[in-house]
């Protein structure tokens, strides 16, 4: 290998190390948390909900999720990214109505980007609001490697 090839290889490795770019083998090393937040009538009949998985990257989080909607009803789901001190970084979500059949519907992934925030996302609140029954549910999930709070707990709004 000539000097130019070695220099390019070293610079490429250094750039990946400094930017935190993941190779395919490293991507599997990011922790994943599964979540499920639902609203029911108390008789195990669901009205609305959200479930899926968070992939916790260096500072940001990718939300891969499904939304449950009962036939003829509407709901709102929000994901709120928080810093370690509980202050809000960013959020994403969806409002939807279902005119067909009660079911879980695959949603587009949501990126909770905190790449410019020191410490990044430490907690995510999942808020589900059932528009028809005016009820809500909220569970807060904590990054698996961040220990001051339990892995999941009811939100303190």
């Amino acid at each position: 290998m000539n000097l130019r090839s070695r220099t390019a290889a070293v610079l490429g490795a250094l750039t990946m190390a400094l930017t935190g770019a993941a190779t395919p083998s490293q991507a599997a090393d990011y922790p994943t948390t599964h979540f499920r937040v639902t609203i029911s009538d108390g008789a195990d009949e669901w009205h609305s909900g959200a479930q899926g998985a968070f992939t916790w990257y260096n500072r940001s989080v990718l939300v891969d999720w499904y939304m449950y909607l009962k036939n003829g009803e509407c709901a709102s789901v929000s994901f709120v990214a928080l810093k370690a001190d509980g202050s809000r970084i960013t959020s994403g979500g969806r409002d939807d109505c279902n005119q067909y059949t009660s079911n879980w519907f695959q949603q587009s992934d949501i990126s909770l980007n905190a790449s410019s925030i020191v410490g990044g996302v430490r907690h995510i609140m999942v808020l589900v609001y059932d528009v028809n029954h005016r009820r809500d549910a909220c569970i807060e999930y904590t990054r698996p490697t961040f220990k001051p709070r339990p892995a999941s707990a009811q939100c303190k709004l």
Side-chain angles (χ1 to χ4, degrees):
M1 183 184 297
N2 66 28
L3 181 60
R4 182 178 285 172
S5 298
R6 277 188 276 182
T7 303
V10 168
L11 287 175
L14 183 59
T15 300
M16 286 185 65
L18 291 175
T19 62
T23 64
S25 64
Q26 290 172 324
D29 295 337
Y30 292 111
T32 300
T33 301
H34 295 276
F35 68 88
R36 183 182 192 118
V37 179
T38 58
I39 296 175
S40 70
D41 63 4
D44 294 329
E45 182 178 353
W46 293 337
H47 293 287
S48 53
Q51 72 176 14
F54 303 123
T55 302
W56 303 85
Y57 293 100
N58 295 333
R59 294 183 181 182
S60 300
V61 177
L62 184 68
V63 183
D64 176 24
W65 67 297
Y66 290 80
M67 184 176 192
Y68 183 84
L69 290 168
K70 187 174 179 182
N71 183 25
E73 297 191 2
C74 301
S76 175
V77 176
S78 296
F79 300 94
V80 181
L82 306 171
K83 294 197 274 186
D85 66 5
S87 59
R88 182 184 175 280
I89 299 171
T90 188
S91 62
R94 178 170 178 151
D95 302 328
D96 206 351
C97 294
N98 178 12
Q99 302 303 320
Y100 304 105
T101 181
S102 301
N103 207 345
W104 289 98
F105 298 96
Q106 173 85 46
Q107 303 297 311
S108 298
D109 290 351
I110 294 174
S111 177
L112 300 173
N113 186 350
S115 59
S116 64
I117 305 297
V118 174
V121 177
R122 292 295 184 234
H123 312 280
I124 299 174
M125 288 193 311
V126 181
L127 298 100
V128 177
Y129 179 69
D130 184 319
V131 175
N132 298 80
H133 301 97
R134 294 191 169 105
R135 295 178 58 203
D136 62 1
C138 181
I139 297 180
E140 183 177 312
Y141 294 85
T142 299
R143 178 182 286 272
T145 55
F146 189 68
K147 300 298 181 198
R149 296 190 197 174
S152 66
Q154 293 296 316
C155 297
K156 297 175 185 167
L157 300 175

